[in-house]
Amino acid sequence: MKHTQVALLLLVQGAIAQATTMAATEVTSPVSTLQYLTTQLNEKTTSQSTSPKLFANVTGSLDDHGSCQCSVYLPDTTFPVQKAEELQVIATTLLQKFEAELSQVKEYSKRIELYQQQILNITLRVEHMEQSSISYTELDFQLLKVEINDLERLVTQLKSSVVGSNVIIDQIYLEITNLTILVNQLESMDKNNILAIRRQIVSLQNQLRECEESKNKTTAPPYFPPGSCIHRGLLNVSQPYVVKLNWRGFSYKYGSWGRDYSPSNPEKEIYWVAPLETSGRYFEYFRTYGSFDDLLLFKTQYERRLRYGEGSGAALYNNFFYYHVYTSSDIAKYDINTNNVVVRKALPSAAVNNRFSYAGVSYQDIDFAVDESGLWVIYSTENSMGNIVISKLNETTLDVLNTWQTRQYKPSVSNAFMLCGILYATRTLSTRKEEIFYMYDTSTGEEGRVSVIMDKKLDTIQSLAYNPTDQRLYVYNDGYLLRYDVTFQP
């Protein structure tokens, strides 16, 4: 194609040169010159090839320099072989699909004839049952129902496999539906089945009566004396009882609260509320109340100020307040009667500075807990690689009496508490549900899984404390004070 274009260009240029020479000798009109050029081009083309004429007469023009200008169009004579091959492949594929669909239609036709014959047989049997006075048993009706259900299932499969709507299939489906209704009506009119249904109704009425009687007989949960551990561990917790918002307001989302446990005077009521600063780390002020009513009414309150407390893991035990000292591994014992720190001591190997705090709660590296046996501390160490470590403390000297290392990673739990020497850990299920899922028994060294669901009012549980006196859980939930009743396994 490129060689043809070059040849034509040279031919046109030669003709123009010749026409220019002739114009110098005699005056020729532009139209006569153009006709001459066209004649020369046709002659050249005819002499080179015997193919049909590729050019036609066109109208030309002279430019300012006296040169003749015209346009030559060459047709694209290439045959589209690739497109023809693609069309042939498509045609072959469509033919194969058509043959497959045609074979399916033949199969469907045979199946439709079979279904129609089965429906006819069932219809005759139902009409005979309807006209005769014979009492049929429940088994007869069940056999009919099984056959009708099989037909309905097969027709449904057939209907889903056919593209588009099919009048015959729709009609068969409608007849099957009518047969189902008719058999149900005959079954309800049968005398033997009516008697059987009456007997079932009487049985259901008796069961309902027994259920109502057992519902009215409320069984009280087993009673276990406060401070005792004769039960077999935690069984369940109640719905949360919302006591109130903490005394510093909604902005103070971090903190802890609970009730003092005094083994020598368990009936004595002292409640404490300890909100942290809004940063969620620094702990300075807390209040105590002489009764639960005083707590509700902010009555006869005593506000105390600590120096350099940290985290929401504090606890009140036998008139002494125990807390973690700010930016250190020290723990302290604070006398609420004299408002003085009486003991301060380092907790050996404790990881601090938010190294292994609970999930969603910052700077609770050291968490105090109280149960029937005394004072505990829950923390982690570098040697435990973040797993929970439990230590029993001497509440007088803060010396570590014994230590247990668990296999539960502390940052994966949301909080923890002690109950009868058993550690229970929680995890977050959703914004409104928490689960007590892990336990470690310090008396046997065994650990295991439990599942006790705790509802909560807001997203995060900042602290969780158990009190042996009233056997309740005290939860600080995003600034709100919640309380749960505990049920034990008998």
Side-chain angles (χ1 to χ4, degrees):
M1 181 64 71
K2 289 183 179 180
H3 296 293
T4 305
Q5 292 177 354
V6 171
L8 291 174
L9 181 60
L10 293 175
L11 182 61
V12 171
Q13 289 178 351
I16 293 173
Q18 185 177 0
T20 305
T21 305
M22 293 176 63
T25 57
E26 62 178 341
V27 178
T28 307
S29 63
V31 176
S32 300
T33 304
L34 182 59
Q35 291 177 350
Y36 174 80
L37 288 174
T38 303
T39 303
Q40 292 294 323
L41 285 173
N42 290 333
E43 291 176 356
K44 291 283 185 180
T45 305
T46 304
S47 62
Q48 291 179 1
S49 175
T50 59
S51 61
K53 294 182 179 181
L54 301 180
F55 303 98
N57 292 334
V58 295
T59 303
S61 61
L62 291 175
D63 58 7
D64 297 338
H65 301 283
S67 299
C68 181
Q69 294 182 349
C70 62
S71 298
V72 179
Y73 299 93
L74 298 177
D76 185 7
T77 59
T78 304
F79 185 78
V81 178
Q82 185 176 2
K83 293 183 179 180
E85 291 178 351
E86 291 177 355
L87 289 176
Q88 185 178 4
V89 172
I90 294 173
T92 304
T93 304
L94 290 177
L95 181 60
Q96 293 175 353
K97 290 184 177 179
F98 174 77
E99 291 177 352
E101 293 294 334
L102 184 60
S103 62
Q104 287 186 2
V105 169
K106 293 179 180 179
E107 181 183 355
Y108 294 156
S109 300
K110 295 179 181 179
R111 293 171 65 180
I112 287 173
E113 292 177 358
L114 179 61
Y115 296 158
Q116 287 177 339
Q117 185 63 38
Q118 291 182 1
I119 291 174
L120 179 60
N121 295 335
I122 295 177
T123 304
L124 294 175
R125 291 168 60 187
V126 171
E127 289 177 355
H128 178 68
M129 291 174 61
E130 187 177 13
Q131 295 174 1
S132 64
S133 58
I134 301 175
S135 179
Y136 285 84
T137 62
E138 183 179 0
L139 181 59
D140 295 325
F141 289 107
Q142 293 300 327
L143 291 175
L144 277 174
K145 287 182 179 179
V146 169
E147 293 182 12
I148 293 174
N149 289 334
D150 290 339
L151 279 175
E152 184 177 1
R153 177 176 53 82
L154 292 174
V155 172
T156 302
Q157 295 178 357
L158 181 61
K159 188 175 181 180
S160 62
S161 62
V162 175
V163 180
S165 62
N166 193 298
V167 178
I168 299 177
I169 298 177
D170 293 338
Q171 184 178 359
I172 293 176
Y173 191 85
L174 179 60
E175 291 179 5
I176 292 175
T177 304
N178 294 335
L179 276 176
T180 304
I181 297 173
L182 184 57
V183 170
N184 291 332
Q185 291 177 351
L186 286 174
E187 184 180 13
S188 64
M189 294 171 62
D190 184 72
K191 296 179 181 179
N192 293 337
N193 285 332
I194 289 176
L195 294 176
I197 290 173
R198 286 179 179 175
R199 287 193 294 269
Q200 292 181 2
I201 291 174
V202 173
S203 177
L204 290 174
Q205 288 175 347
N206 293 332
Q207 293 179 14
L208 180 61
R209 189 183 307 108
E210 293 175 359
C211 181
E212 291 177 351
E213 292 176 357
S214 62
K215 183 179 179 181
N216 294 330
K217 295 178 181 179
T218 56
T219 303
Y223 173 75
F224 298 99
S228 66
C229 293
I230 58 176
H231 50 76
R232 294 190 298 115
L234 178 68
L235 176 64
N236 203 355
V237 297
S238 66
Q239 288 294 310
Y241 173 74
V242 181
V243 178
K244 63 186 304 182
L245 184 65
N246 76 89
W247 57 275
R248 299 192 73 177
F250 183 76
S251 299
Y252 294 83
K253 295 181 177 295
Y254 293 85
S256 56
W257 86 292
R259 179 180 174 177
D260 179 26
Y261 175 55
S262 178
S264 59
N265 188 12
E267 299 300 325
K268 183 180 179 181
E269 287 189 275
I270 296 179
Y271 294 88
W272 55 276
V273 181
L276 304 185
E277 298 300 317
T278 55
S279 63
R281 180 178 184 179
Y282 188 62
F283 171 37
E284 186 174 10
Y285 294 96
F286 72 99
R287 287 182 178 180
T288 59
Y289 304 88
S291 68
F292 189 70
D293 292 338
D294 293 345
L295 169 66
L296 294 177
L297 301 173
F298 294 103
K299 182 180 178 181
T300 319
Q301 59 199 21
Y302 296 93
E303 184 174 316
R304 293 169 172 81
R305 182 182 183 187
L306 292 174
R307 293 286 186 179
Y308 310 114
E310 180 175 291
S312 53
L316 184 62
Y317 176 60
N318 204 15
N319 292 320
F320 289 95
F321 199 75
Y322 300 87
Y323 65 96
H324 175 208
V325 179
Y326 187 73
T327 65
S328 72
S329 61
D330 292 352
I331 53 178
K333 177 181 179 181
Y334 180 89
D335 190 342
I336 63 173
N337 294 322
T338 62
N339 298 329
N340 290 314
V341 176
V342 294
V343 180
R344 174 174 172 173
K345 186 171 291 186
L347 182 63
S349 304
V352 294
N353 295 323
N354 205 31
R355 175 65 171 147
F356 298 113
S357 185
Y358 291 129
V361 183
S362 302
Y363 296 102
Q364 199 170 348
D365 302 291
I366 298 177
D367 184 18
F368 287 91
V370 175
D371 71 349
E372 291 80 359
S373 61
L375 183 66
W376 303 79
V377 64
I378 305 167
Y379 59 105
S380 291
T381 64
E382 294 293 342
N383 290 334
S384 71
M385 294 180 291
N387 290 343
I388 293 178
V389 176
I390 311 167
S391 290
K392 185 71 168 60
L393 298 180
N394 182 317
E395 59 266 20
T396 303
T397 62
L398 297 184
D399 291 332
V400 175
L401 302 178
N402 204 347
T403 298
W404 296 263
Q405 181 171 316
T406 72
R407 291 183 294 179
Q408 179 61 49
Y409 190 54
K410 187 169 181 280
S412 67
V413 306
S414 57
N415 230 286
F417 63 94
M418 298 296 298
L419 191 157
C420 287
I422 301 176
L423 171 81
Y424 290 95
T426 62
R427 63 183 174 186
T428 300
L429 297 182
S430 66
T431 58
R432 293 297 179 268
K433 287 189 182 297
E434 206 86 359
E435 181 188 27
I436 302 174
F437 77 102
Y438 174 81
M439 59 170 289
Y440 183 92
D441 192 343
T442 58
S443 61
T444 62
E446 296 179 354
E447 57 187 342
R449 298 290 176 180
V450 295
S451 181
V452 178
I453 304 300
M454 296 176 58
D455 290 336
K456 55 186 178 180
K457 297 302 178 182
L458 294 173
D459 295 351
T460 308
I461 289 180
Q462 281 76 19
S463 69
L464 179 58
Y466 168 71
N467 185 269
T469 300
D470 53 15
Q471 297 172 339
R472 286 172 174 156
L473 294 177
Y474 292 84
V475 175
Y476 196 98
N477 183 197
D478 280 336
Y480 285 88
L481 314 181
L482 308 184
R483 190 176 69 180
Y484 298 78
D485 293 326
V486 176
T487 304
F488 301 108
Q489 300 181 41

